Structure formats: structure tokens, C-alpha cells
Amino acid sequence: MKPILLALLAGLAFSNVVHAQNNATGPIATPAGALQFVRDDRDFVVTLNNQIVDRFDANTLAHFDDIGTSNDAIARTLVQTDTGPILYDFRRNPPLIQRTGKRMVVKRVFWQGDEVVMQGSQGWFRYQRGVLTKLQSSTTTYHTN
């Protein structure tokens, strides 16, 4: 199992951008405008250009960012919440907001085109077009259920 996992990580590291966990509240530059996370009691309020676009419960702020190609703006971010990760896609305006619907602690995120591959507390998952899929190991590759 360890050789397979190491091969997966090595392959992802050379072909994709991996970003570590971030806790910056902003303002953060995105193609859609200035992103800000504001603490409101137990919730966080997400604003874009000072307009509220979302709200989520979380004890602390943790997000994984996909740096776009222009001006180092954040193209997408995956935010850890109490109810599971939320994907914000700022490549369009208004931004696309998608909830994974699965409670998990995200440890690592890999950005691959329109999909997000994440290592969570319950294994590896792929999130693409609103669908969360658990990745299963085999003798040589990872594949979807």
C-alpha cells in the first residue's frame, strides 16, 4: 500500500500544484473580486467585494487555495467547515459554490483541471462537478468506485 501511495503522491506533485493549508481571512485577490472571511459569532461570513456570498460554521478558518495564472489571484479555494469541505470557484462571476456533503478533515489538496483530489481523514477523494467520489486503491492505480 505504501509504494502505491508514494507513487500517487509523486505523480500528483509533478503534474499539479499543491497548496498547503491557509488561514488568511483576506482580503484575498480572486478573478471575481476581493474575497474576505469574516468571523460572525460561531459562523464565518464569506464576502466578495463586500457583498455576502455565503456563510458556514467552523471553529477555525482553514482553506486550500488554487493560484490562478493571472496576477497570483486565487482561482478556487476549498474551505474546511464543520459540515464538510466547500469549494468556491472564482473563475466565474458570481462564483460557483459547491458543498461536498461529507464531514471530513482535509489534510491535503491537489488541483487537476476541473477536479479536486483531496486526502481526508477517511482516505482519498475526488470532487468534480458537484460529485464526491472515494478513491480506492488497487495493486497499481487509484480508481473511482
Side-chain angles (χ1 to χ4, degrees):
M1 174 80 173
K2 274 192 178 181
I4 295 169
L5 184 58
L6 291 174
L8 171 71
L9 290 176
L12 289 172
F14 288 111
S15 64
N16 305 294
V17 178
V18 180
H19 291 282
Q21 183 175 320
N22 189 346
N23 63 357
T25 58
I28 301 167
T30 75
L35 171 67
Q36 183 93 29
F37 297 99
V38 180
R39 174 62 104 179
D40 181 25
D41 219 3
R42 181 170 151 64
D43 298 344
F44 278 94
V45 175
V46 182
T47 64
L48 192 61
N49 294 325
N50 297 319
Q51 299 294 315
I52 296 174
V53 294
D54 198 21
R55 176 182 298 267
F56 60 85
D57 288 339
N59 290 330
T60 59
L61 179 63
H63 53 94
F64 299 84
D65 304 328
D66 176 22
I67 305 293
T69 55
S70 63
N71 302 330
D72 291 331
I74 302 299
R76 297 175 290 178
T77 190
L78 187 80
V79 179
Q80 178 72 53
T81 74
D82 289 350
T83 58
I86 300 174
L87 175 66
Y88 295 94
D89 188 342
F90 300 106
R91 297 175 295 179
R92 54 192 69 146
N93 198 357
L96 177 65
I97 302 170
Q98 296 179 315
R99 286 167 166 69
T100 62
K102 181 167 182 69
R103 289 185 80 166
M104 72 171 81
V105 176
V106 178
K107 299 176 183 177
R108 220 173 293 166
V109 172
F110 299 87
W111 302 96
Q112 300 184 142
D114 282 338
E115 73 178 359
V116 182
V117 176
M118 64 186 98
Q119 180 183 20
S121 54
Q122 299 153 358
W124 288 89
F125 293 86
R126 178 180 73 187
Y127 191 65
Q128 184 175 26
R129 294 184 201 101
V131 178
L132 184 68
T133 307
K134 183 164 177 43
L135 300 174
Q136 300 293 321
S137 65
S138 68
T139 56
T140 58
T141 61
Y142 276 84
H143 56 87
T144 59
N145 289 7

